[in-house]
């Protein structure tokens, strides 16, 4: 063994140790991954907190407080997505005076990643929504509204895939039937497509073709209609489809104390959540991943 | 050399295996968090909102008129001062718009008692008052209604015995609370002819079970919100002093 070889050898072993060390380190930090999904729905132009004299929601809500909460969660886990399930507009004079400009600007400041479109977002007409578009620095997604013959053509995407911390998150949007709910003069040539059919397409594309690790449906269909149990709703959509991990809902202003765990078409768990309205709550769903299949055991544990 | 090669292969192996590892979902945790005053607040957001808030408050607090008394929709059985005020002002504001577009005049107005969402307090009446009285975005429409449907409308009012705001229309009930007369300008309604009835789009679409509004011969959309009509009327009026009157009464 000459001197040169020794150096090589020791370099090799040193390198090996380093790789091993790195590997161990990276396997604890990279092999397990953590994604946080934050969500709101039906904020309805509620920018200021409710006042101290409010009969029901005194001192609750408020965008500045939501901003502080979101910031602290993002500091804790930078791998965070922030989503809204529609009905951003209508409910306070902020909307009557500014037509949604302030709502979109604030959501952009809070760094929302995506929103879907609620029925009240058409309250100033599809043109009124289009007029506020430049103020939104986030994506609008809707898979079952066909905007082809409207001003929103090409602006609204059916889905968006986010690559966050090594995890692929596919989010698609679902809107409620507009006929009978919104004046035709407001939504114009927007075409509503069947939620179940479109969801089946979306879950296939996102799960099978695009290999997403998480599939999220951002829905304004409504949680569930007790008196119209056959009407399409988040719970019915969850049961009739597959390959969706989380449905984030809106429209029915349902305050769920905790998310509902529903069984999908294949008997697998789907989480369905909704946080009421007026920005009184923020939904938070944390997904944990591991590259070691053994750690997932027989499946995913859900803690709600 | 052999070591170098092993090293390279090993590095490749580590790299490739790391890259190709799929992600297995192990756990989901979910919680819905209350937004309360204990969370703290982002000052930059508050500062950004402030000019918008100040502008709205200034505008909402701008005085439009003066009210000589406090008026509530619960002050009266079959007609109320505030209801009469609302129905009359809708006529005053909407009729010129309707006439200029169609050449025709509104025959009478019917709104709903539930559509008055707040009292008008004695003193200054502001834009904020208008938003409280009429927070909804409902718009004024005029329906060309067949006589039979107008008959159903009158029967609805007689049956409900509620102070749904009306203007230009007079209804008199007898001691047994049955219909005695229904008239316009002191002339009894003729249920064989059509009338042009002004209301809001909520009721026209079947709200409050006013089903007689469904399928009119014509529907005229004025693109004029009830609240804007209220604000426009108040801007043109110095003092409001509405009264309960004889438009919907019970007599002996």
């Amino acid at each position: 063994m000459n001197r040169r070889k020794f150096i090589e050898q020791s370099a090799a072993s040193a390198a090996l140790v380093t790789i091993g060390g790195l590997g161990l380190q990276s396997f604890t930090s990279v092999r397990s991954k953590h994604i946080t999904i934050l969500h709101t729905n039906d904020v309805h132009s509620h920018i200021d907190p409710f006042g101290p004299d409010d009969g029901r929601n005194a001192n609750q809500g408020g965008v500045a407080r939501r901003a502080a909460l979101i910031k602290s969660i993002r500091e804790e886990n930078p791998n965070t997505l922030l989503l809204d399930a529609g009905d951003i507009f209508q409910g306070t004079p902020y909307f009557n005076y500014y037509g949604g400009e302030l709502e979109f600007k604030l959501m952009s400041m809070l760094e929302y990643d995506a929103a879907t479109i609620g029925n009240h977002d058409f309250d100033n007409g599809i043109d009124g929504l289009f007029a506020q578009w430049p103020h939104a620095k986030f994506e609008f997604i809707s898979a079952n509204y066909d905007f082809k013959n409207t001003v929103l053509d090409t602006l609204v995407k059916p889905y968006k895939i986010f690559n966050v911390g090594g995890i692929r998150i596919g989010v698609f949007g679902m809107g409620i039937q507009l006929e009978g709910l919104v004046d035709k003069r407001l939504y114009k040539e927007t075409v509503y497509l069947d939620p179940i059919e479109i969801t089946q397409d979306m879950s296939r594309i996102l799960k099978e073709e695009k290999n997403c690790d998480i599939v999220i449906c951002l829905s304004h269909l409504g949680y569930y209609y007790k008196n119209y149990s056959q009407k399409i709703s988040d719970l019915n959509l969850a049961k009739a489809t597959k390959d969706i991990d989380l449905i984030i809902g809106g429209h029915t202003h349902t305050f769920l104390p905790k998310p509902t765990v529903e069984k999908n078409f294949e008997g697998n768990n789907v989480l369905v959540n909704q946080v009421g309205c007026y920005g009184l709550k923020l939904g938070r769903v944390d997904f944990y991943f591991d590259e070691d299949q053994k750690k997932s055991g027989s499946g995913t544990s859900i803690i709600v | 050399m052999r070591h170098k090669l092993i090293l390279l292969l090993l590095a490749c192996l580590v790299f490739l295996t790391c890259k190709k590892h799929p992600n297995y979902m192990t756990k989901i945790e979910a919680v819905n968090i209350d937004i309360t005053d204990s969370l703290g607040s982002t000052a930059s957001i508050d500062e950004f909102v402030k000019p918008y808030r100040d502008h709205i408050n200034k505008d909402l607090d701008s005085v439009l008129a003066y009210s000589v008394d406090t008026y509530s929709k619960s002050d009266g059985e079959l007609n109320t001062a505030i209801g009469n005020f609302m129905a009359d002002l809708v006529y005053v504001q909407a009729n010129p718009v309707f006439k200029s577009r169609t050449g025709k005049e509104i025959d009478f107005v019917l709104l709903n008692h539930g559509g008055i969402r707040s009292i008008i307090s004695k003193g200054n009446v502001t834009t904020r008052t208008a938003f409280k009285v009429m927070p909804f975005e409902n718009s004024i429409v005029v329906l060309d209604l067949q006589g039979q449907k107008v008959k159903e409308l009158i029967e609805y009012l007689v049956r409900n015995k509620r102070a749904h705001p009306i203007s230009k229309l007079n209804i008199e009930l007898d001691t047994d609370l049955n219909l005695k007369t229904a008239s316009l300008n002191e002339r009894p309604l003729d249920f064989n002819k059509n009338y042009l009835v002004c209301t809001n789009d909520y009721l026209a679409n079947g709200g409050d079970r006013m089903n007689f509004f469904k399928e009119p011969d014509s529907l005229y959309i004025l693109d004029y919100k009830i609240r804007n009509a209220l604000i426009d009327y108040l801007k043109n009026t110095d003092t409001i002093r509405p009264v309960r009157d004889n438009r919907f009464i019970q007599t002996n």
Side-chain angles (χ1 to χ4, degrees):
Chain A
M1 187 184 283
N2 60 33
R3 186 178 143 79
R4 190 187 137 111
K5 207 156 190 184
F6 173 73
I7 291 170
E8 272 183 5
Q9 262 192 337
S10 58
S13 56
L16 270 172
V17 169
T18 311
I19 288 168
L22 241 180
L24 277 174
Q25 252 180 15
S26 63
F27 284 170
T28 47
S29 66
V30 173
R31 285 189 66 175
S32 67
K33 294 164 186 164
H34 173 201
I35 299 293
T36 301
I37 307 293
L38 302 178
H39 62 92
T40 51
N41 57 276
D42 298 271
V43 178
H44 281 296
S45 306
H46 281 72
I47 287 163
D48 296 329
F50 283 87
D53 302 325
D54 188 83
R56 296 182 73 172
N57 308 310
N59 298 315
Q60 292 183 63
V63 174
R65 290 177 191 158
R66 197 191 327 148
L69 175 62
I70 289 164
K71 187 164 174 277
S72 73
I73 293 170
R74 280 195 172 122
E75 279 165 5
E76 176 198 317
N77 183 14
N79 296 327
T80 292
L81 276 188
L82 176 58
L83 307 170
D84 185 273
D87 276 8
I88 295 163
F89 289 175
Q90 191 72 265
T92 71
Y94 283 113
F95 178 67
N96 305 105
Y97 278 72
Y98 297 106
E101 174 192 329
L102 193 55
E103 289 84 333
F104 281 3
K105 281 183 172 174
L106 288 167
M107 286 173 73
S108 303
M109 290 171 81
L110 267 57
E111 295 176 56
Y112 270 78
D113 295 288
T116 197
I117 299 171
N119 48 300
H120 279 289
D121 298 319
F122 291 97
D123 277 8
N124 278 349
I126 197 165
D127 299 304
L129 178 57
F130 176 65
Q132 303 306 333
W133 218 260
H135 302 303
K137 305 280 176 263
F138 50 92
E139 297 278 340
F140 279 95
I141 48 173
S142 178
N144 72 324
Y145 286 156
D146 180 354
F147 290 112
K148 199 170 69 214
N149 295 319
T150 74
V151 286
L152 297 185
D153 181 32
T154 73
L155 294 176
V156 181
K157 301 285 188 295
Y159 63 85
K160 165 103 180 157
I161 296 170
F162 298 91
N163 286 296
V164 182
I167 297 289
R168 287 169 68 78
I169 308 167
V171 187
F172 67 97
M174 269 296 132
I176 194 166
Q177 184 161 21
L178 296 170
E179 189 192 344
L181 188 64
V182 179
D183 197 320
K184 175 85 161 71
R185 292 180 307 149
L186 297 177
Y187 65 83
K188 293 190 169 168
E189 298 306 315
T190 306
V191 178
Y192 166 84
L193 305 170
D194 183 74
I196 291 179
E197 275 177 38
I198 299 295
T199 296
Q200 283 164 342
D201 289 346
M202 283 297 122
S203 60
R204 179 180 46 78
I205 291 169
L206 294 173
K207 200 77 189 181
E208 293 170 23
E209 292 176 21
K210 306 286 182 183
N211 290 314
C212 288
D213 300 299
I214 307 176
V215 175
I216 298 173
C217 172
L218 198 53
S219 155
H220 200 75
L221 293 173
Y223 179 69
Y224 183 64
Y225 301 91
K226 204 170 62 189
N227 298 327
Y228 303 93
S229 59
Q230 298 306 304
K231 184 178 160 78
I232 186 66
S233 60
D234 293 338
L235 287 189
N236 290 350
L237 188 76
K239 284 185 237 180
T241 57
K242 60 172 189 168
D243 288 334
I244 299 171
D245 299 292
L246 170 65
I247 299 178
I248 294 169
H251 188 64
T252 42
H253 295 198
T254 308
F255 284 95
L256 292 175
K258 56 179 191 173
T260 307
V261 183
E262 188 57 80
K263 292 283 181 203
N264 73 8
F265 185 66
E266 292 183 326
N268 296 323
N269 291 327
V270 194
L271 224 54
V272 181
N273 202 17
Q274 188 178 149
V275 286
C277 54
Y278 307 151
L280 297 170
K281 281 172 181 280
L282 180 73
R284 173 176 181 167
V285 184
D286 289 282
F287 290 91
Y288 295 89
F289 290 87
D290 204 286
E291 289 176 359
D292 183 353
Q293 189 171 11
K294 286 196 286 288
K295 286 198 180 164
S296 77
S298 54
T300 308
S301 59
I302 299 177
I303 303 162
V304 291
Chain B
M1 273 314 281
R2 213 181 61 207
H3 285 294
K4 259 189 184 169
L5 194 69
I6 289 169
L7 190 65
L8 192 71
L9 280 169
L10 202 68
C12 283
L13 192 72
V14 168
F15 180 72
L16 283 171
T17 47
C18 264
K19 187 152 192 212
K20 283 183 81 177
H21 261 307
N23 296 302
Y24 295 101
M25 199 185 285
T26 53
K27 188 171 70 169
I28 307 172
E29 286 178 326
V31 60
N32 294 335
I33 308 163
D34 289 319
I35 308 288
T36 64
D37 44 5
S38 63
L39 287 174
S41 184
T42 303
S44 59
I45 297 286
D46 260 334
E47 282 157 26
F48 182 79
V49 175
K50 193 174 181 300
Y52 292 87
R53 184 190 297 129
D54 290 348
H55 170 78
I56 290 175
N57 284 338
K58 195 172 156 228
D59 195 61
L60 285 175
D61 291 329
S62 61
V63 177
L64 303 177
Y66 182 83
S67 175
V68 298
D69 205 347
T70 296
Y71 303 99
S72 162
K73 67 176 176 180
S74 54
D75 299 338
E77 288 289 316
L78 297 174
N79 79 87
T80 65
I82 193 171
N84 296 344
F85 170 74
M86 288 300 294
D88 288 348
L89 80 84
V90 165
Y91 179 84
V92 168
Q93 296 301 128
N95 195 47
V97 177
F98 182 63
K99 195 176 176 186
S100 72
R101 290 193 198 163
T102 63
K104 301 175 204 170
E105 301 220 29
I106 292 166
D107 287 312
F108 66 91
V109 178
L110 168 62
L111 303 174
N112 58 327
H113 184 252
I116 299 168
R117 307 301 293 183
S118 168
I119 59 167
I120 294 176
S121 297
K122 181 178 176 174
N124 288 334
V125 182
T126 62
T127 309
R128 191 184 298 280
T129 315
F131 269 88
K132 284 184 175 168
V133 171
M134 189 56 223
F136 308 134
E137 301 300 313
N138 295 128
S139 291
I140 300 170
V141 295
V142 179
L143 303 141
D144 187 354
L145 221 55
Q146 306 93 315
Q148 183 54 40
K149 288 182 184 284
V150 174
K151 186 165 178 273
E152 287 171 30
L153 180 157
I154 300 296
E155 285 165 356
Y156 174 96
L157 292 175
V158 172
R159 196 169 58 241
N160 265 255
K161 296 175 185 62
R162 225 170 157 208
H164 291 300
I166 53 175
S167 184
K168 301 286 155 194
L169 178 67
N170 281 279
I171 303 173
E172 210 179 320
L173 304 180
D174 64 18
T175 45
D176 298 324
L177 294 169
N178 292 319
L179 179 66
K180 200 162 150 187
T181 57
S183 57
L184 288 182
N185 295 320
E186 299 180 355
R187 283 165 50 186
L189 288 174
D190 176 358
F191 296 131
N192 292 314
K193 60 168 278 202
N194 280 22
Y195 288 92
L196 291 162
V197 184
C198 177
T199 185
N200 66 50
D201 52 0
Y202 167 73
L203 298 175
N205 289 322
D208 272 10
R209 297 207 182 109
M210 294 199 184
N211 296 325
F212 42 81
F213 279 141
K214 287 179 180 167
E215 294 167 26
D217 282 356
S218 300
L219 168 69
Y220 303 91
I221 293 162
L222 302 195
D223 283 316
Y224 194 7
K225 286 179 184 173
I226 300 270
R227 183 176 55 245
N228 289 339
L230 173 59
I231 290 169
D232 291 345
Y233 180 83
L234 290 168
K235 277 181 181 167
N236 293 328
T237 312
D238 183 69
T239 304
I240 62 163
R241 52 179 95 240
V243 291
R244 212 179 330 157
D245 57 22
N246 295 332
R247 67 185 71 190
F248 190 10
I249 51 163
Q250 182 196 359
T251 57
N252 293 320

